[in-house]
Amino acid sequence: MIEALTPRISALLDKKFALFGHSMGAIIAFELARELRRRTGLQPEHIFISGSRAPQLRDTSPITYDLPDNEFRAELRKLNGTPAEVLENAELMNLMLPLLRADFELVQTYQYCDEPPLDCPLTIYGGLQDPEIPREALLPWEQQTKAQFSLQMLPGDHFFLRSASHQLLDLLRQELLRITARLIQPRISGAGQV
């Protein structure tokens, strides 16, 4: 996925950028940042990671992407991330199951490779009631950056980005405003100099 995504996104990186990813998207954002650093030397101004254990921690959860359909649906129901209306709609689930299985396979077969930490700040978000990814699984993200690291725990389970969406969006907005102010400040400071 990263090999396919990198050339497509590279054309958009003529401006400063930040990355955000939740769960599987967090690993994609992290690996995309590392691949961009390797290929182009560019790194994001900030990476926001949500609901994902630190990549260097081994996931000991059972493999589920290849379970029979009824067992896979039961796993989806347990995760509480797929609305009941979707799970109960046979036609929609027939369309969605291959996509969901591919997502799960991507996550469940992910292999972390050690590299030097990134130079950009990392902000990590976790759910206070997330049984799969507790705070202890989020703290080691700090080893993935040489820059600022912060961890925020929000009310909710793994899908706290829905249950605590207003709080999460407010935190993201505040941090993006700080980043923007930092990027604009040197231009303003130097504007009157000759």
Side-chain angles (χ1 to χ4, degrees):
M1 174 173 276
I2 298 303
E3 286 179 19
L5 189 55
T6 303
R8 288 186 172 100
I9 201 168
S10 293
L12 305 172
L13 303 181
D14 58 336
K15 296 175 180 63
K16 303 290 185 182
F17 65 99
L19 298 173
F20 173 88
H22 178 78
S23 196
M24 175 185 75
I27 295 300
I28 293 170
F30 171 68
E31 289 296 344
L32 179 60
R34 295 191 337 159
E35 184 66 15
L36 288 169
R37 175 178 64 180
R38 285 190 295 270
R39 285 192 194 188
T40 68
L42 295 174
Q43 289 189 58
E45 291 300 313
H46 206 104
I47 302 177
F48 300 94
I49 298 293
S50 172
S52 181
R53 77 177 30 85
Q56 69 271 26
L57 299 181
R58 190 165 163 250
D59 185 0
T60 58
S61 305
I63 300 295
T64 58
Y65 75 86
D66 58 356
L67 288 173
D69 284 355
N70 61 335
E71 292 177 42
F72 187 68
R73 283 189 175 110
E75 287 296 318
L76 291 173
R77 195 174 302 279
K78 268 197 286 187
L79 287 173
N80 197 29
T82 308
E85 304 82 42
V86 173
L87 290 169
E88 293 162 10
N89 183 321
E91 189 177 335
L92 186 54
M93 282 307 293
N94 285 338
L95 290 171
M96 295 298 297
L97 274 178
L99 299 171
L100 291 167
R101 285 184 186 282
D103 285 356
F104 277 62
E105 183 176 7
L106 191 68
V107 171
Q108 293 174 353
T109 60
Y110 169 69
Q111 301 268 327
Y112 170 77
C113 295
D114 195 31
E115 287 185 23
L118 294 163
D119 293 322
C120 59
L122 289 178
T123 297
I124 313 300
Y125 301 105
L128 285 165
Q129 291 80 35
D130 188 342
E132 302 292 319
I133 303 171
R135 188 173 195 279
E136 299 76 38
L138 300 169
L139 284 168
W141 273 104
E142 185 171 15
Q143 298 166 19
Q144 299 300 332
T145 183
K146 293 183 219 170
Q148 181 184 353
F149 170 84
S150 65
L151 171 61
Q152 303 268 345
M153 299 300 290
L154 301 172
D157 61 13
H158 186 65
F159 293 96
F160 63 88
L161 75 166
R162 282 197 314 239
S163 61
S165 63
H166 293 297
Q167 189 176 354
L168 176 62
L169 290 172
D170 190 49
L171 290 168
L172 286 167
R173 183 185 59 77
Q174 289 173 34
E175 189 59 44
L176 289 170
L177 287 172
R178 279 192 285 276
I179 293 166
T180 303
R182 179 176 43 89
L183 292 173
I184 292 172
Q185 188 59 38
R187 285 191 224 155
I188 294 171
S189 298
Q193 297 175 0
V194 178

